[in-house]
Amino acid sequence: MGANIHMVIGADDFLVAEAVKAIYGDDTGLEVIDSSNSTAAEAQLSDIGAADSSLMEMPFLYPKKTTWWRNVHFLPRAGATGSSEEVKASLERFAKKLAATNLPDNQIFILSAPQLMASSIFAKSLKGAVTIKDLDAARAKKNSSYAARENEARAIEFAARYSLKFAPDALEAFALTVGDDARSQLNEVEKLRSYIGESRNNITLNDVESIVSSGPGVEPSLWSVTNAVAERDARKALMALRPLEGTNGFDIKITSALERTLRQLVVMKDSIMRGVDYPQGGSPWQLDKLRRQAAKWSLLELRQARHRIAALRENAVTGSENITARIEIEINRACAAERKSK
């Protein structure tokens, strides 16, 4: 097995770069072949040739040599139209050469790509012969809740680099706001460090709401609306709601999210009043937060608010008019309702 030959597969460029740098360490003797813009067969064949030449060239100017062939987007992948037959054959020959090569201790070869079809001849030729790290494999096998936990775990790791620690509700808000783009997560943590200063190391929900921006492709968060309603803060709820208005499927998404939040609060309030455990599970901090929010409502208020929002959701599904305005009215009504005996 070529211990000094590696493949890193992943769609997130930042995470790929982090994984690659962990392999080669510093930049001493680093040679980069970038295939980002190699869309024509001629350019792809040229890159394969350059990678082959670099693989066979021993270190001589530096004590070590690392070749990083990056952004090889023309590897075999599922659902793709495929490269030309000439490129495909050249890649397969190169894979067999990689599998048969034993590099000296002071030489490393790394190939990184966004995707690789495991059933391809290229992949099968390398399996067991080189070190392959698939950054997306674990996520593909898990559900969306796993992806959310992974995002939070990465945010915690980035915060620790700056001696910062998230409060539980701040972590949830950060992950939902920034999304799963690792580079954006790190940038936003850096912003938080500058915003907080050196006087403290804890990140609060207020810090996140004050300074953190949405990551690429992340729509304004439904969570920010539902959380504000649960806290009975109409002003904050409406401020978070308005950027969402007019987005695709807005009426159904927001009424469904609000109904779900109010249903959870109903169950928690009922559990508290009957002196029984909350039956739907959750982490200790999530349950504590739900208890604090439920304390702001009477059970009757929650049931009435949920009933009205559920009716709005049915109207949204059937395409009734003026749903958006009615959502704002119901949020105001629910948050400003007269507090009953708890």
Side-chain angles (χ1 to χ4, degrees):
M1 177 175 180
N4 286 358
I5 300 178
H6 304 260
M7 282 192 65
V8 178
I9 307 298
D12 190 314
D13 290 344
F14 179 77
L15 291 180
V16 168
E18 291 259 299
V20 169
K21 289 175 183 176
I23 295 170
Y24 70 73
D26 60 52
D27 292 341
T28 302
L30 176 63
E31 178 180 345
V32 176
I33 302 164
D34 195 336
S35 291
S36 298
N37 298 318
S38 299
T39 55
E42 182 179 359
Q44 293 169 359
L45 289 169
S46 176
D47 287 350
I48 297 170
D52 192 351
S53 296
S54 185
L55 174 72
M56 302 310 296
E57 187 179 74
M58 303 289 285
F60 61 94
L61 292 177
Y62 298 98
K64 69 173 185 177
K65 176 187 175 183
T66 300
T67 301
W68 179 12
W69 186 17
R70 62 184 300 177
N71 299 316
V72 190
H73 57 86
F74 48 89
L75 295 186
R77 60 192 190 278
T81 55
S83 304
S84 70
E85 289 301 316
E86 187 178 6
V87 170
K88 182 179 177 182
S90 183
L91 281 170
E92 290 173 0
R93 287 194 298 271
F94 185 64
K96 292 174 181 176
K97 186 171 188 176
L98 279 177
T101 299
N102 287 308
L103 294 178
D105 292 341
N106 63 339
Q107 186 175 357
I108 299 172
F109 184 92
I110 307 167
L111 185 157
S112 66
Q115 295 181 51
L116 173 63
M117 187 166 61
S119 60
S120 65
I121 295 174
F122 184 92
K124 289 180 178 178
S125 298
L126 294 172
K127 188 175 182 180
V130 304
T131 302
I132 302 177
K133 184 171 187 177
D134 191 334
L135 301 178
D136 298 333
R139 174 171 295 198
K141 293 177 182 177
K142 302 290 182 178
N143 55 28
S144 59
S145 64
Y146 171 86
R149 292 194 301 274
E150 186 183 41
N151 288 346
E152 292 185 358
R154 190 185 304 132
I156 291 170
E157 176 191 338
F158 288 158
R161 295 186 186 183
Y162 291 88
S163 301
L164 292 170
K165 186 176 182 179
F166 285 96
D169 54 355
L171 177 61
E172 181 185 17
F174 181 90
L176 287 168
T177 301
V178 182
D180 62 0
D181 183 76
R183 190 184 302 276
S184 296
Q185 283 190 335
L186 184 58
N187 288 342
E188 294 304 315
V189 168
E190 291 174 349
K191 281 170 56 178
L192 282 165
R193 177 76 278 178
S194 297
Y195 176 76
I196 292 170
E198 300 300 327
S199 60
R200 59 183 170 89
N201 294 323
N202 62 306
I203 301 171
T204 67
L205 177 60
N206 185 62
D207 295 329
V208 173
E209 291 177 340
S210 298
I211 197 68
V212 171
S213 304
S214 296
V218 178
E219 294 181 356
S221 174
L222 296 176
W223 176 88
S224 57
V225 180
T226 58
N227 188 65
V229 169
E231 297 286 348
R232 300 195 78 164
D233 189 330
R235 183 191 64 82
K236 185 178 289 187
L238 293 176
M239 285 180 61
L241 180 76
R242 280 164 188 154
L244 292 165
E245 293 176 353
T247 57
N248 186 37
F250 160 75
D251 292 342
I252 295 174
K253 288 179 182 177
I254 192 63
T255 51
S256 296
L258 285 169
E259 192 279 330
R260 182 171 57 252
T261 296
L262 290 165
R263 178 170 12 105
Q264 291 172 337
L265 287 167
V266 166
V267 174
M268 174 57 80
K269 189 70 178 182
D270 180 67
S271 300
I272 292 170
M273 293 179 69
R274 292 190 295 114
V276 298
D277 291 336
Y278 180 71
Q280 298 181 8
S283 67
W285 75 263
Q286 287 173 321
L287 295 178
D288 182 62
K289 177 182 177 182
L290 202 56
R291 288 188 197 97
R292 287 187 284 102
Q293 290 172 335
K296 299 174 184 287
W297 305 75
S298 73
L299 186 56
L300 178 61
E301 286 172 336
L302 285 169
R303 285 174 171 164
Q304 289 176 337
R306 182 193 171 195
H307 175 76
R308 291 193 297 265
I309 291 295
L312 267 185
R313 183 183 61 186
E314 294 304 313
N315 292 155
V317 171
T318 57
S320 299
E321 296 181 355
N322 299 321
I323 297 296
T324 298
R326 291 166 63 189
I327 291 170
E328 292 193 10
I329 291 170
E330 291 302 339
I331 286 176
N332 267 314
R333 177 186 293 179
C335 293
E338 182 182 354
R339 300 279 297 279
K340 306 295 182 183
S341 172
K342 303 299 184 285

